[in-house]
Amino acid sequence: MNRQETADVKKTGNRILIIYYSKTGFTKKYAEWIKDGLSKKTSCDLVPYKGRRKIAFGDYDVILFGGGFHAGQINGLKWFKTQIGKMPAQRKQSGRIAVFATGAMPVGAPDVEKSMRQNFTEQEWTQIKTFYLPGGLCYEKMGAGDKLMMSMFRAMLKEAKVDSKMQQIVSHSFDMTSKEAAAPVVEWCVNASSPAM
């Protein structure tokens, strides 16, 4: 996109911000795929969590936050929700804020919606669009604490005699990410940024 096109996009007021918190790379991969999907359609900025303090939220019409699941919580979401709390009520109620979370569960797993919902109040759940995107596990990029936690989780599964397939799945690194899974998020961003909103 050249400078004139960027200026035109800013004038029409459909800039999109993607902030992401990624520990092992799955959330970052999705954030980049979403940005790539939007790049030919609208203006979009991609900011890693560590750059969050430089963000001027008022410069954007659509805001998307992404984080990976860690012990049932979406990484960075607590901070993001404090930022939403500072935004005007019109922004919060306009359907222009969304969160995507990545995790090691397949999309159709029975606990996905429950895991997502427990990160939001009832009011937040109705105001914020949410997406779950299948990520995976990457033991090579985990810190010692996370590796220990996963070791304890595997032991718990074994002791509880949980399905051996599940035990096998969490015993090694795997990657379920796909560009196709990001497509609904791209579509939502495009629709949310349209002048008709």
Side-chain angles (χ1 to χ4, degrees):
M1 190 176 284
N2 65 37
R3 285 186 190 182
Q4 183 57 48
E5 288 171 326
T6 303
D8 290 344
V9 168
K10 287 179 185 177
K11 284 178 193 170
T12 58
N14 60 357
R15 293 186 66 207
I16 298 171
L17 170 66
I18 303 169
I19 314 156
Y20 69 92
Y21 187 124
S22 189
K23 288 183 87 171
T24 54
F26 301 111
T27 305
K28 179 181 181 183
K29 189 187 294 190
Y30 275 117
E32 290 172 346
W33 282 338
I34 294 164
K35 182 179 180 3
D36 289 346
L38 291 168
S39 64
K40 293 179 183 149
K41 299 172 182 162
T42 187
S43 174
C44 177
D45 291 334
L46 183 64
V47 179
Y49 187 76
K50 64 183 178 185
R52 68 193 181 279
R53 288 184 172 80
K54 297 176 183 175
I55 297 170
F57 285 96
D59 292 347
Y60 299 93
D61 297 297
V62 176
I63 301 168
L64 176 65
F65 178 83
F69 270 105
H70 184 265
Q73 301 299 307
I74 300 170
N75 285 322
L77 183 61
K78 185 176 179 181
W79 166 82
F80 181 63
K81 291 199 298 184
T82 65
Q83 304 312 302
I84 294 173
K86 298 173 188 174
M87 294 177 192
Q90 178 185 353
R91 163 72 61 76
K92 291 185 268 191
Q93 295 168 1
S94 67
R96 294 183 182 208
I97 299 172
V99 170
F100 74 89
T102 61
M105 293 184 285
V107 172
D111 289 338
V112 167
E113 184 173 346
K114 180 182 174 187
S115 297
M116 289 292 288
R117 285 189 80 115
Q118 74 182 11
N119 281 271
F120 300 91
T121 65
E122 283 302 316
Q123 183 177 4
E124 290 166 347
W125 187 253
T126 60
Q127 291 179 338
I128 301 168
K129 178 68 176 169
T130 60
F131 299 91
Y132 175 78
L133 305 176
L137 287 174
C138 184
Y139 285 102
E140 298 78 13
K141 293 183 181 178
M142 282 184 192
D146 289 338
K147 286 180 181 175
L148 177 63
M149 188 175 73
M150 287 306 298
S151 176
M152 292 167 55
F153 178 63
R154 290 192 305 271
M156 184 183 72
L157 290 176
K158 189 174 183 180
E159 189 175 312
K161 295 184 171 59
V162 172
D163 177 6
S164 61
K165 184 178 178 185
M166 178 65 169
Q167 291 179 43
Q168 188 178 4
I169 288 170
V170 298
S171 68
H172 61 279
S173 297
F174 63 93
D175 184 343
M176 297 185 293
T177 59
S178 74
K179 279 188 179 181
E180 292 76 25
V185 186
V186 173
E187 182 181 355
W188 177 87
C189 288
V190 170
N191 291 338
S193 67
S194 69
M197 282 293 290

